[in-house]
Amino acid sequence: NVKKTMNVVCNLVEKKRPKVLIAGAGLAGLSCAKYLTDRGVEAVVVESRNVLGGKVAAWKDKEGDWYETGLHIFFGAYPNMLQLLRELNIYDRLQWKEHAMIFNNKASDTPSPGQNMSSYSKFVFPSIPAPLNGILAILFSDMLTWKEKLLFARGLIPAIFGGQDYIEDCDKYSWTEWLIRQNIPTRVNDEIFIAMSKALNFINPDEISAMVILTALNRFLRETYGSKMAFLDGNPPERLCRPIVDFIEANGGKVWMKHPLRRIETREDGTVESFVVGNAVGKAEQWRADAYVSALPVDILKMLLPLSWKSIEFFHQLSFLKGVPVINIHLWFDRKLTDVDHLLFSRSNLLSVYADMSNTCREYFDENKSMLELVFAPAAAYISKSDEDIVSVTMKELERLFPQHIGPNAQLPAKLIKYKVVKTPRSVYKTSPGLNSYRPSQVTPISNFFLAGDFTSQQYLASMEGAVLSGKLAAEAVVRYLESRPMDTMESTEVASNQLVIR
Ligand code: FAD
C-alpha cells in the first residue's frame, strides 16, 4: 500500500512537471536538457542519428579503434563547459597539457636534405598572472624577430583591454584587414595567424572576421589559464555525452535516438502546435510539449522552418549563416612518429591543427604506434574528393612535418597501416566579416519556440563552449517563459503548475 501511495504521489508530481521537447542531441541540445532538468522540467530530446554528440560524434571501427568528427580541444577559457563537467562529476576526464602553443616550423614545403627531424616553435606561458604570461610567451618565442614581437605586442593592446564592444565592432574587418590597421607586420599573419584562423573556423585570415580571433586572443590574454589546453580522455559520445544523457534520464527526461524532427507544425497564431518526429520504424508522430527548442545545426534548421515563419526578419537572417566544410583525418602508423603530448599547429597549406592521439588521449594510448588525427582545412576544394586523394595529399604534407619517417628521404620509414576520413560538408557556421549581428538570440519571435546551438548569439565562438552556453541560455529562457504562462495553459499537465521546481 505504501508503495502504491508513493506511486500515486510520484505520478501527481510527474504530472505537474512541464515538458519541453528539444531537437538535436549535440552539446547544445544536451546542455539545454540538462539545465532544464535542473529546474524541474521534463526534458525530452529527439536526435536523428544513432550516435550522440553531433559535431563531437565518434564511431568505433571493426578493430575497435575510434574515429571522430573532429579533433577537439578544451580550453581553460571554457567556464561553462568546465562547470558542466564538474556538475556531472567528470571533470577528471580532461587531460590538461603543458601551458604552451606549439607550431611546426614552416621553412620550405619540402625538407632540405639535412633536415631529418620535425622542428617546433613554442609559445610557453609562464605561471604568472595574465596578461603578463601571454606577453612573455610572445616575447620569448623564437618565431618572430624582436621588431615583429614588439609591433605585435603593441598592436594587441586593444585586443587585451578593448572590451566586448570593441571586439564586436571589429566584426566589420577581416583578420588580415585588422592586422594592417594595427600596423602589425604581414609576417606575423603568415607565421601565426594562418594557423590560428584555420584552427578556429577552418578558413584563412583574409576570410575570417577579426572578431573571432580577437575574441580568442582576449580570453587567452586576459585569463591566466585561458589558453591552457586539455584533451578528453576518450571518445566524446561515451566519455562526454553519455553522462549528460544519464543525468537527464535519471531525472525523468529522455533522449530518443534515431528520432528525427521532420516538421514543425504551427497553430493559426504562428506558435508551435507540435514537432512531427520520425519514430523507430520510420513513421511520423506528432509530439506535443509546453515549449520547443531547436538545437539543430543552422543549415538544417533553415530547411525545417515553417513557411509562415520564413518572412519574419529574425528567421530570414539565418540565411546568411552557412556551415563551413571541414575534413577530419585519422592515420594509424606502424611506429611512433613523435612523443609530443600536445596539440600541434601544422602551418601547412592543406592542414590545420593535429595531434598524435596515441600520446594525448588515454583511451587511444599506444606506446609503440602513432595515430595522427589531423584537421584538413580549408576543405572546400577537397570535400568532394575521394578519401584516397585526400589521404594522398595529406601524406605529401607529412613529408615536411615528419621527414625522418615519411617520404623519400625517410631514415626510419613509417608505414601507414590504415586511415579513416570523416567529411563534414557543413560544420560550424563560416564566420565571415559582418555576420555576427545575424546570429539569432535563444528567444525567438515565436513565444513557445527557442533556439540553442553554437551559431546562436553568445559571447563564445562556434565551439563546444558556445554550444554548452547556448543550451544553458535557452534553458533559462524556456524557464522564464514557462513561469510567465497562465496556469491553465500547460500542455502536459492536468493540474497546472504555476511554480517550477527549483532545486
Ligand atoms: P551539433 O553538434 O551540430 O548538434 C546538432 C545535432 O542535431 C546533431 O546531433 C545532429 O545529428 C542533430 N540533428 C540534425 N538534424 C536533426 C533532425 N532533423 N532531428 C533531430 N536531430 C537532428 N570546438 C571546440 O570547442 N574545440 C575544438 O577543438 C573544436 N574542434 C572542432 C573540429 C571539427 C573538425 C569540428 C567539425 C568542430 C570542432 N569544434 C570544436 C566545434 C564544436 O564541435 C561545435 O561547435 C559543437 O560541437 C556544436 O554543437 P551543437 O550542439 O551546437 O551542434
Side-chain angles (χ1 to χ4, degrees), residues 23-29 46-49 51-56 69-75 78 199 202 259-262 295-297 300 304 326-328 375 424 427-428 452-455 462-465 467 470:
L27 288 174
V46 291
E47 163 59 46
S48 58
R49 302 203 287 181
V51 57
L52 291 167
K55 292 184 192 75
V56 303
T69 311
L71 170 60
H72 277 86
I73 302 297
F74 297 71
F75 287 96
Y78 276 8
F202 318 131
H259 276 66
L261 170 64
R262 294 229 184 118
L296 306 173
I300 294 177
L304 288 174
V326 65
I327 302 171
N328 202 49
V375 179
T424 307
S427 70
V428 296
D454 60 3
F455 67 93
S463 63
M464 294 188 287
E465 169 69 8
S470 77

Short mmCIF file of all heavy atoms in Angstrom, two decimals, residues 23-29 46-49 51-56 69-75 78 199 202 259-262 295-297 300 304 326-328 375 424 427-428 452-455 462-465 467 470, ligand 1:
data_model
loop_
_atom_site.label_atom_id
_atom_site.label_comp_id
_atom_site.label_asym_id
_atom_site.label_seq_id
_atom_site.Cartn_x
_atom_site.Cartn_y
_atom_site.Cartn_z
N ALA A 23 15.04 19.32 -30.16
CA ALA A 23 15.51 18.57 -31.32
C ALA A 23 17.02 18.73 -31.44
O ALA A 23 17.52 19.85 -31.55
CB ALA A 23 14.83 19.06 -32.59
N GLY A 24 17.75 17.60 -31.39
CA GLY A 24 19.21 17.63 -31.57
C GLY A 24 19.94 17.25 -30.29
O GLY A 24 19.80 17.93 -29.27
N ALA A 25 20.70 16.14 -30.34
CA ALA A 25 21.48 15.71 -29.16
C ALA A 25 22.96 15.99 -29.37
O ALA A 25 23.82 15.15 -29.10
CB ALA A 25 21.23 14.25 -28.86
N GLY A 26 23.26 17.19 -29.89
CA GLY A 26 24.64 17.69 -29.85
C GLY A 26 24.85 18.31 -28.47
O GLY A 26 23.97 18.23 -27.59
N LEU A 27 25.98 18.98 -28.28
CA LEU A 27 26.25 19.55 -26.95
C LEU A 27 25.24 20.62 -26.56
O LEU A 27 24.87 20.73 -25.39
CB LEU A 27 27.68 20.12 -26.90
CG LEU A 27 28.77 19.04 -26.89
CD1 LEU A 27 30.15 19.68 -27.00
CD2 LEU A 27 28.69 18.18 -25.63
N ALA A 28 24.73 21.37 -27.55
CA ALA A 28 23.75 22.42 -27.23
C ALA A 28 22.45 21.80 -26.73
O ALA A 28 21.90 22.23 -25.70
CB ALA A 28 23.51 23.30 -28.45
N GLY A 29 21.94 20.80 -27.44
CA GLY A 29 20.68 20.17 -27.06
C GLY A 29 20.80 19.47 -25.72
O GLY A 29 19.91 19.55 -24.87
N VAL A 46 14.99 14.66 -29.06
CA VAL A 46 14.92 13.75 -30.20
C VAL A 46 16.14 14.00 -31.09
O VAL A 46 16.48 15.13 -31.39
CB VAL A 46 13.61 13.90 -31.02
CG1 VAL A 46 12.43 13.40 -30.21
CG2 VAL A 46 13.37 15.34 -31.47
N GLU A 47 16.79 12.93 -31.48
CA GLU A 47 18.04 13.02 -32.26
C GLU A 47 17.89 12.14 -33.50
O GLU A 47 17.45 11.00 -33.40
CB GLU A 47 19.22 12.57 -31.38
CG GLU A 47 20.49 12.21 -32.10
CD GLU A 47 21.08 13.35 -32.94
OE1 GLU A 47 21.17 14.48 -32.45
OE2 GLU A 47 21.46 13.07 -34.11
N SER A 48 18.28 12.66 -34.64
CA SER A 48 18.09 11.91 -35.89
C SER A 48 19.06 10.73 -36.02
O SER A 48 18.71 9.70 -36.59
CB SER A 48 18.22 12.83 -37.10
OG SER A 48 19.49 13.43 -37.09
N ARG A 49 20.26 10.86 -35.49
CA ARG A 49 21.26 9.81 -35.74
C ARG A 49 21.26 8.78 -34.61
O ARG A 49 20.56 8.95 -33.60
CB ARG A 49 22.65 10.43 -35.87
CG ARG A 49 22.70 11.46 -37.00
CD ARG A 49 24.09 11.67 -37.51
NE ARG A 49 24.93 12.43 -36.60
CZ ARG A 49 26.19 12.75 -36.87
NH1 ARG A 49 26.74 12.37 -38.01
NH2 ARG A 49 26.91 13.44 -36.02
N VAL A 51 24.03 8.14 -33.01
CA VAL A 51 25.22 8.47 -32.23
C VAL A 51 25.00 9.84 -31.58
O VAL A 51 24.46 10.76 -32.19
CB VAL A 51 26.50 8.44 -33.11
CG1 VAL A 51 26.39 9.39 -34.29
CG2 VAL A 51 27.74 8.78 -32.30
N LEU A 52 25.41 9.94 -30.32
CA LEU A 52 25.28 11.20 -29.58
C LEU A 52 26.37 12.18 -30.00
O LEU A 52 27.44 11.76 -30.42
CB LEU A 52 25.45 10.94 -28.08
CG LEU A 52 24.36 10.16 -27.36
CD1 LEU A 52 24.86 9.74 -25.97
CD2 LEU A 52 23.10 10.99 -27.23
N GLY A 53 26.10 13.47 -29.84
CA GLY A 53 27.20 14.44 -29.88
C GLY A 53 27.27 15.34 -31.09
O GLY A 53 27.99 16.33 -31.08
N GLY A 54 26.54 15.04 -32.18
CA GLY A 54 26.60 15.91 -33.37
C GLY A 54 28.03 16.08 -33.84
O GLY A 54 28.68 15.12 -34.25
N LYS A 55 28.57 17.30 -33.73
CA LYS A 55 29.93 17.55 -34.24
C LYS A 55 31.01 16.97 -33.35
O LYS A 55 32.19 17.01 -33.70
CB LYS A 55 30.15 19.05 -34.46
CG LYS A 55 29.31 19.57 -35.59
CD LYS A 55 29.56 21.02 -35.90
CE LYS A 55 28.50 21.57 -36.82
NZ LYS A 55 27.21 21.81 -36.16
N VAL A 56 30.65 16.44 -32.17
CA VAL A 56 31.66 15.71 -31.40
C VAL A 56 31.42 14.20 -31.48
O VAL A 56 32.01 13.42 -30.73
CB VAL A 56 31.78 16.17 -29.91
CG1 VAL A 56 32.09 17.65 -29.81
CG2 VAL A 56 30.52 15.85 -29.12
N THR A 69 34.42 13.01 -35.51
CA THR A 69 34.03 14.07 -36.45
C THR A 69 35.10 15.16 -36.46
O THR A 69 35.34 15.78 -37.49
CB THR A 69 32.68 14.69 -36.02
OG1 THR A 69 31.77 13.62 -35.78
CG2 THR A 69 32.13 15.60 -37.08
N GLY A 70 35.71 15.38 -35.31
CA GLY A 70 36.72 16.43 -35.25
C GLY A 70 37.66 16.23 -34.08
O GLY A 70 37.27 15.68 -33.05
N LEU A 71 38.88 16.70 -34.26
CA LEU A 71 39.85 16.74 -33.17
C LEU A 71 39.39 17.85 -32.23
O LEU A 71 39.27 19.00 -32.66
CB LEU A 71 41.22 17.05 -33.76
CG LEU A 71 42.36 17.38 -32.80
CD1 LEU A 71 42.63 16.23 -31.87
CD2 LEU A 71 43.61 17.72 -33.61
N HIS A 72 39.12 17.52 -30.98
CA HIS A 72 38.54 18.52 -30.08
C HIS A 72 39.44 18.89 -28.91
O HIS A 72 39.94 18.01 -28.22
CB HIS A 72 37.17 18.06 -29.58
CG HIS A 72 36.08 18.35 -30.55
ND1 HIS A 72 35.75 17.50 -31.58
CD2 HIS A 72 35.27 19.43 -30.67
CE1 HIS A 72 34.78 18.04 -32.29
NE2 HIS A 72 34.46 19.21 -31.77
N ILE A 73 39.60 20.19 -28.72
CA ILE A 73 40.42 20.73 -27.64
C ILE A 73 39.54 21.53 -26.69
O ILE A 73 38.67 22.28 -27.14
CB ILE A 73 41.49 21.71 -28.23
CG1 ILE A 73 42.36 20.99 -29.25
CG2 ILE A 73 42.34 22.34 -27.13
CD1 ILE A 73 43.15 19.87 -28.69
N PHE A 74 39.77 21.35 -25.41
CA PHE A 74 39.09 22.13 -24.38
C PHE A 74 40.08 23.19 -23.90
O PHE A 74 41.26 22.90 -23.75
CB PHE A 74 38.68 21.23 -23.21
CG PHE A 74 37.71 20.15 -23.59
CD1 PHE A 74 38.10 19.08 -24.38
CD2 PHE A 74 36.40 20.20 -23.15
CE1 PHE A 74 37.21 18.08 -24.75
CE2 PHE A 74 35.50 19.21 -23.51
CZ PHE A 74 35.90 18.15 -24.31
N PHE A 75 39.57 24.40 -23.63
CA PHE A 75 40.45 25.47 -23.17
C PHE A 75 40.11 25.86 -21.73
O PHE A 75 38.97 25.71 -21.29
CB PHE A 75 40.32 26.70 -24.07
CG PHE A 75 40.97 26.51 -25.41
CD1 PHE A 75 40.23 26.11 -26.51
CD2 PHE A 75 42.33 26.72 -25.58
CE1 PHE A 75 40.83 25.91 -27.74
CE2 PHE A 75 42.94 26.53 -26.81
CZ PHE A 75 42.19 26.12 -27.89
N TYR A 78 36.97 28.05 -20.96
CA TYR A 78 35.65 27.47 -21.27
C TYR A 78 34.87 27.32 -19.96
O TYR A 78 34.60 26.20 -19.51
CB TYR A 78 35.82 26.09 -21.92
CG TYR A 78 36.05 26.06 -23.42
CD1 TYR A 78 36.28 27.22 -24.14
CD2 TYR A 78 36.02 24.86 -24.11
CE1 TYR A 78 36.50 27.17 -25.52
CE2 TYR A 78 36.23 24.81 -25.49
CZ TYR A 78 36.47 25.96 -26.18
OH TYR A 78 36.67 25.92 -27.54
N ALA A 199 42.49 27.01 -37.35
CA ALA A 199 42.10 26.21 -36.18
C ALA A 199 40.75 26.68 -35.64
O ALA A 199 39.95 25.87 -35.18
CB ALA A 199 43.16 26.32 -35.09
N PHE A 202 38.38 27.03 -39.62
CA PHE A 202 38.70 26.23 -40.83
C PHE A 202 38.80 27.09 -42.09
O PHE A 202 38.58 26.59 -43.20
CB PHE A 202 37.67 25.10 -41.03
CG PHE A 202 37.29 24.40 -39.75
CD1 PHE A 202 35.96 24.18 -39.42
CD2 PHE A 202 38.25 23.96 -38.87
CE1 PHE A 202 35.62 23.55 -38.23
CE2 PHE A 202 37.92 23.32 -37.68
CZ PHE A 202 36.59 23.12 -37.36
N HIS A 259 15.33 9.39 -33.93
CA HIS A 259 14.01 10.03 -33.97
C HIS A 259 14.18 11.43 -34.55
O HIS A 259 14.29 12.42 -33.81
CB HIS A 259 13.41 10.10 -32.56
CG HIS A 259 12.71 8.86 -32.14
ND1 HIS A 259 13.36 7.67 -31.93
CD2 HIS A 259 11.38 8.61 -31.91
CE1 HIS A 259 12.48 6.75 -31.58
NE2 HIS A 259 11.28 7.28 -31.56
N PRO A 260 14.23 11.54 -35.89
CA PRO A 260 14.46 12.87 -36.48
C PRO A 260 13.24 13.79 -36.38
O PRO A 260 12.11 13.31 -36.50
CB PRO A 260 14.74 12.54 -37.96
CG PRO A 260 14.08 11.23 -38.19
CD PRO A 260 14.12 10.48 -36.90
N LEU A 261 13.51 15.07 -36.14
CA LEU A 261 12.44 16.06 -36.29
C LEU A 261 12.19 16.19 -37.79
O LEU A 261 13.12 16.49 -38.56
CB LEU A 261 12.88 17.40 -35.70
CG LEU A 261 11.95 18.58 -36.00
CD1 LEU A 261 10.58 18.39 -35.37
CD2 LEU A 261 12.57 19.89 -35.50
N ARG A 262 10.94 15.97 -38.20
CA ARG A 262 10.66 16.05 -39.65
C ARG A 262 10.00 17.38 -40.02
O ARG A 262 10.20 17.90 -41.10
CB ARG A 262 9.71 14.92 -40.04
CG ARG A 262 10.33 13.54 -39.90
CD ARG A 262 10.09 12.74 -41.16
NE ARG A 262 10.59 11.39 -41.03
CZ ARG A 262 9.83 10.32 -41.09
NH1 ARG A 262 8.52 10.42 -41.31
NH2 ARG A 262 10.35 9.12 -40.99
N ALA A 295 17.82 22.57 -31.33
CA ALA A 295 19.28 22.57 -31.10
C ALA A 295 19.91 21.93 -32.32
O ALA A 295 20.89 21.18 -32.21
CB ALA A 295 19.61 21.83 -29.81
N LEU A 296 19.35 22.24 -33.47
CA LEU A 296 19.84 21.68 -34.74
C LEU A 296 20.94 22.58 -35.30
O LEU A 296 20.99 23.77 -34.98
CB LEU A 296 18.69 21.63 -35.75
CG LEU A 296 17.41 20.92 -35.32
CD1 LEU A 296 16.32 21.12 -36.36
CD2 LEU A 296 17.69 19.43 -35.13
N PRO A 297 21.78 22.05 -36.18
CA PRO A 297 22.72 22.93 -36.88
C PRO A 297 21.93 23.93 -37.72
O PRO A 297 20.82 23.62 -38.17
CB PRO A 297 23.49 21.97 -37.80
CG PRO A 297 23.21 20.60 -37.29
CD PRO A 297 21.91 20.64 -36.60
N ILE A 300 20.31 22.91 -41.10
CA ILE A 300 19.15 22.02 -41.04
C ILE A 300 17.93 22.78 -40.51
O ILE A 300 16.82 22.63 -41.02
CB ILE A 300 19.47 20.77 -40.19
CG1 ILE A 300 20.53 19.97 -40.94
CG2 ILE A 300 18.23 19.92 -39.92
CD1 ILE A 300 21.04 18.76 -40.26
N LEU A 304 13.93 23.31 -42.03
CA LEU A 304 12.74 22.85 -41.30
C LEU A 304 11.82 23.99 -40.85
O LEU A 304 10.80 23.75 -40.22
CB LEU A 304 13.16 22.02 -40.09
CG LEU A 304 13.73 20.62 -40.41
CD1 LEU A 304 14.24 19.94 -39.15
CD2 LEU A 304 12.68 19.75 -41.08
N VAL A 326 34.74 20.98 -43.57
CA VAL A 326 35.99 20.59 -42.90
C VAL A 326 36.13 19.07 -42.98
O VAL A 326 35.13 18.36 -43.10
CB VAL A 326 36.04 21.10 -41.44
CG1 VAL A 326 35.00 20.45 -40.55
CG2 VAL A 326 37.43 20.90 -40.84
N ILE A 327 37.37 18.61 -42.93
CA ILE A 327 37.63 17.15 -43.02
C ILE A 327 38.52 16.76 -41.84
O ILE A 327 39.49 17.46 -41.54
CB ILE A 327 38.33 16.81 -44.36
CG1 ILE A 327 37.47 17.27 -45.55
CG2 ILE A 327 38.59 15.30 -44.46
CD1 ILE A 327 38.16 17.18 -46.90
N ASN A 328 38.17 15.67 -41.19
CA ASN A 328 38.98 15.18 -40.07
C ASN A 328 39.61 13.84 -40.50
O ASN A 328 38.90 12.93 -40.92
CB ASN A 328 38.09 14.98 -38.84
CG ASN A 328 38.86 14.98 -37.56
OD1 ASN A 328 39.68 15.86 -37.32
ND2 ASN A 328 38.63 13.99 -36.71
N VAL A 375 43.19 17.91 -38.75
CA VAL A 375 42.09 18.68 -39.32
C VAL A 375 42.56 19.25 -40.66
O VAL A 375 43.59 19.94 -40.71
CB VAL A 375 41.65 19.81 -38.37
CG1 VAL A 375 40.51 20.61 -38.98
CG2 VAL A 375 41.23 19.25 -37.01
N THR A 424 32.81 16.70 -43.10
CA THR A 424 31.62 17.43 -42.64
C THR A 424 31.44 18.60 -43.61
O THR A 424 32.07 19.65 -43.46
CB THR A 424 31.80 17.94 -41.18
OG1 THR A 424 32.17 16.83 -40.36
CG2 THR A 424 30.52 18.55 -40.64
N SER A 427 29.91 22.34 -41.36
CA SER A 427 30.19 22.22 -39.93
C SER A 427 29.74 23.50 -39.23
O SER A 427 28.63 23.96 -39.46
CB SER A 427 31.68 21.92 -39.70
OG SER A 427 32.47 23.04 -40.01
N VAL A 428 30.56 24.07 -38.39
CA VAL A 428 30.21 25.33 -37.73
C VAL A 428 30.00 26.43 -38.78
O VAL A 428 30.53 26.32 -39.88
CB VAL A 428 31.32 25.76 -36.75
CG1 VAL A 428 31.45 24.76 -35.63
CG2 VAL A 428 32.66 25.92 -37.47
N ALA A 452 18.83 26.81 -29.56
CA ALA A 452 20.15 26.58 -28.96
C ALA A 452 21.06 26.15 -30.12
O ALA A 452 20.57 25.77 -31.18
CB ALA A 452 20.07 25.48 -27.91
N GLY A 453 22.34 26.20 -29.89
CA GLY A 453 23.28 25.83 -30.97
C GLY A 453 24.44 26.79 -30.96
O GLY A 453 24.27 27.97 -30.59
N ASP A 454 25.61 26.29 -31.36
CA ASP A 454 26.81 27.13 -31.29
C ASP A 454 26.71 28.40 -32.12
O ASP A 454 27.40 29.38 -31.85
CB ASP A 454 28.06 26.30 -31.68
CG ASP A 454 27.98 25.74 -33.09
OD1 ASP A 454 26.99 26.02 -33.81
OD2 ASP A 454 28.91 25.01 -33.49
N PHE A 455 25.83 28.41 -33.12
CA PHE A 455 25.70 29.57 -34.01
C PHE A 455 24.85 30.68 -33.38
O PHE A 455 24.85 31.81 -33.84
CB PHE A 455 25.08 29.15 -35.35
CG PHE A 455 23.64 28.71 -35.23
CD1 PHE A 455 22.60 29.60 -35.40
CD2 PHE A 455 23.33 27.40 -34.88
CE1 PHE A 455 21.28 29.20 -35.23
CE2 PHE A 455 22.03 26.98 -34.73
CZ PHE A 455 21.00 27.89 -34.90
N ALA A 462 31.68 29.70 -32.23
CA ALA A 462 31.03 28.44 -32.61
C ALA A 462 31.97 27.33 -32.14
O ALA A 462 32.89 26.92 -32.84
CB ALA A 462 30.82 28.41 -34.10
N SER A 463 31.76 26.89 -30.91
CA SER A 463 32.69 25.96 -30.27
C SER A 463 31.90 25.10 -29.29
O SER A 463 30.70 25.32 -29.09
CB SER A 463 33.72 26.76 -29.47
OG SER A 463 33.06 27.48 -28.44
N MET A 464 32.58 24.15 -28.65
CA MET A 464 31.90 23.35 -27.63
C MET A 464 31.40 24.26 -26.51
O MET A 464 30.30 24.08 -26.00
CB MET A 464 32.85 22.29 -27.08
CG MET A 464 33.26 21.25 -28.09
SD MET A 464 34.18 19.92 -27.32
CE MET A 464 35.75 20.70 -27.00
N GLU A 465 32.23 25.21 -26.11
CA GLU A 465 31.84 26.14 -25.05
C GLU A 465 30.61 26.95 -25.49
O GLU A 465 29.66 27.12 -24.72
CB GLU A 465 33.01 27.09 -24.73
CG GLU A 465 32.68 28.27 -23.85
CD GLU A 465 32.35 27.90 -22.39
OE1 GLU A 465 32.52 26.73 -22.03
OE2 GLU A 465 31.92 28.80 -21.65
N ALA A 467 28.37 26.07 -27.65
CA ALA A 467 27.20 25.17 -27.71
C ALA A 467 26.63 24.96 -26.31
O ALA A 467 25.41 25.07 -26.10
CB ALA A 467 27.61 23.84 -28.35
N SER A 470 25.01 28.15 -25.10
CA SER A 470 23.75 28.42 -25.80
C SER A 470 22.63 27.55 -25.23
O SER A 470 21.50 28.00 -25.08
CB SER A 470 23.90 28.18 -27.30
OG SER A 470 23.88 26.79 -27.58
P1 FAD B 1 25.78 19.91 -33.40
O1 FAD B 1 26.90 19.25 -32.72
O2 FAD B 1 25.82 20.00 -34.88
O3 FAD B 1 24.44 19.18 -32.94
C1 FAD B 1 23.25 19.18 -33.68
C2 FAD B 1 22.54 17.85 -33.51
O4 FAD B 1 21.30 17.87 -34.22
C3 FAD B 1 23.34 16.66 -34.08
O5 FAD B 1 23.42 15.63 -33.14
C4 FAD B 1 22.52 16.25 -35.30
O6 FAD B 1 22.63 14.89 -35.62
C5 FAD B 1 21.13 16.60 -34.82
N1 FAD B 1 20.13 16.70 -35.90
C6 FAD B 1 20.31 17.13 -37.17
N2 FAD B 1 19.13 17.09 -37.83
C7 FAD B 1 18.20 16.62 -36.97
C8 FAD B 1 16.80 16.39 -37.05
N3 FAD B 1 16.10 16.60 -38.17
N4 FAD B 1 16.16 15.89 -35.95
C9 FAD B 1 16.83 15.66 -34.78
N5 FAD B 1 18.16 15.87 -34.66
C10 FAD B 1 18.84 16.37 -35.72
N6 FAD B 1 35.01 23.15 -30.72
C11 FAD B 1 35.85 23.37 -29.69
O7 FAD B 1 35.44 23.95 -28.68
N7 FAD B 1 37.15 22.95 -29.73
C12 FAD B 1 37.66 22.28 -30.81
O8 FAD B 1 38.82 21.90 -30.81
C13 FAD B 1 36.80 22.04 -31.90
N8 FAD B 1 37.25 21.37 -32.99
C14 FAD B 1 36.38 21.04 -33.99
C15 FAD B 1 36.85 20.29 -35.06
C16 FAD B 1 35.98 19.92 -36.08
C17 FAD B 1 36.51 19.15 -37.26
C18 FAD B 1 34.61 20.29 -36.00
C19 FAD B 1 33.64 19.86 -37.06
C20 FAD B 1 34.14 21.06 -34.95
C21 FAD B 1 35.03 21.45 -33.94
N9 FAD B 1 34.60 22.22 -32.86
C22 FAD B 1 35.44 22.49 -31.82
C23 FAD B 1 33.25 22.82 -32.84
C24 FAD B 1 32.27 22.04 -31.97
O9 FAD B 1 32.32 20.68 -32.28
C25 FAD B 1 30.86 22.54 -32.23
O10 FAD B 1 30.84 23.95 -32.09
C26 FAD B 1 29.81 21.98 -31.27
O11 FAD B 1 30.01 20.61 -31.04
C27 FAD B 1 28.43 22.22 -31.88
O12 FAD B 1 27.42 21.73 -31.04
P2 FAD B 1 25.89 21.98 -31.39
O13 FAD B 1 25.11 21.19 -30.40
O14 FAD B 1 25.63 23.43 -31.50
O15 FAD B 1 25.65 21.40 -32.87
#
